[in-house]
Amino acid sequence: SIHLSAGCSDMATIPLTRRGADKLKEELHRLKTVERHAVIGAIAEARARGRTLSQFFLGDPQSYKGPTIAYAAGPAALKADAEAAGVDLYVHAPYPINVASTNNRIRIPGRKLLQQHLTAAAEIGAKGVIVHGGHLGKDEDAAIGFDNWRKAIDGTDLKLPVLIENTAGGAGAVARTLESIERLWQTIADAEGF
């Protein structure tokens, strides 16, 4: 096995397999070469276009993995640099989040991932987190999905606004039509944390 320094003053080590070390190197490379550049590029693009806001992902938009803040100097520097540039940051939550779902194996990890993104977004000074309304199965009652949203809001530490984005397609989309968005907002308004 390979040993990786844990960065402790006593130089403690953590054993890794060759495969684990390769995966770690691959992830670090992706963070340095893709994620960091995407965030820097988002701020630069907004500034170049004379815009005052930028929306981006904190990691892979198709993944249940938690957020990554791959800014070279860290979250506080990202916050300071965006403020200095006059650019408000908005974080888009990963697409797999579906807090409306009736399936616990989808809904509960989605709630946890939403909370992780809210926490990370607050750390970089974002103004809000954008998340899709989610979907229900063909024969599932929309009222259950709306109530699942209420429960998600009740159980979330809302460090900043959650901006629910309408969903362009799908018959089971919870936030597709104006009527469904209205019902969603009426239900969420009953949440204790709202």
Side-chain angles (χ1 to χ4, degrees):
S1 74
I2 298 171
H3 286 78
L4 175 70
S5 172
C8 301
S9 59
D10 65 356
M11 296 302 289
T13 58
I14 301 168
L16 285 179
T17 63
R18 171 71 58 196
R19 183 172 179 267
D22 290 344
K23 288 184 76 143
L24 180 60
K25 286 179 186 176
E26 180 181 302
E27 178 68 6
L28 288 172
H29 177 74
R30 185 185 66 77
L31 289 172
K32 288 179 179 178
T33 60
V34 178
E35 297 298 327
R36 181 171 74 196
H37 296 294
V39 174
I40 292 168
I43 293 172
E45 182 73 18
R47 194 173 16 194
R49 292 175 180 254
R51 304 296 184 236
T52 59
L53 63 91
S54 181
Q55 173 185 308
F56 54 92
F57 294 93
L58 291 177
D60 183 349
Q62 298 292 342
S63 174
Y64 274 102
K65 288 185 178 178
T68 55
I69 301 171
Y71 200 68
L78 173 55
K79 179 179 180 179
D81 289 350
E83 287 173 355
V87 175
D88 291 337
L89 304 178
Y90 288 84
V91 171
H92 199 299
Y95 298 123
I97 292 177
N98 184 0
V99 300
S101 178
T102 60
N103 183 333
N104 289 343
R105 292 179 2 180
I106 294 172
R107 184 181 66 255
I108 293 170
R111 285 184 191 171
K112 290 177 182 176
L113 190 57
L114 178 59
Q115 181 64 69
Q116 291 171 354
H117 276 76
L118 281 162
T119 300
E123 192 176 357
I124 64 168
K127 303 298 182 192
V129 172
I130 300 150
V131 63
H132 286 267
H135 283 81
L136 295 170
K138 180 180 172 186
D139 297 321
E140 293 178 321
D141 183 2
I144 296 170
F146 299 140
D147 195 51
N148 284 341
W149 256 107
R150 179 195 56 78
K151 292 174 188 174
I153 296 297
D154 276 342
T156 301
D157 180 10
L158 295 174
K159 297 176 182 297
L160 28 109
V162 172
L163 308 169
I164 303 172
E165 186 174 14
N166 67 325
T167 307
V174 172
R176 182 175 182 203
T177 65
L178 290 177
E179 294 80 14
S180 64
I181 293 169
E182 180 181 24
R183 286 182 62 199
L184 177 58
W185 280 116
Q186 287 171 344
T187 306
I188 289 175
D190 293 335
E192 291 176 24
F194 188 68

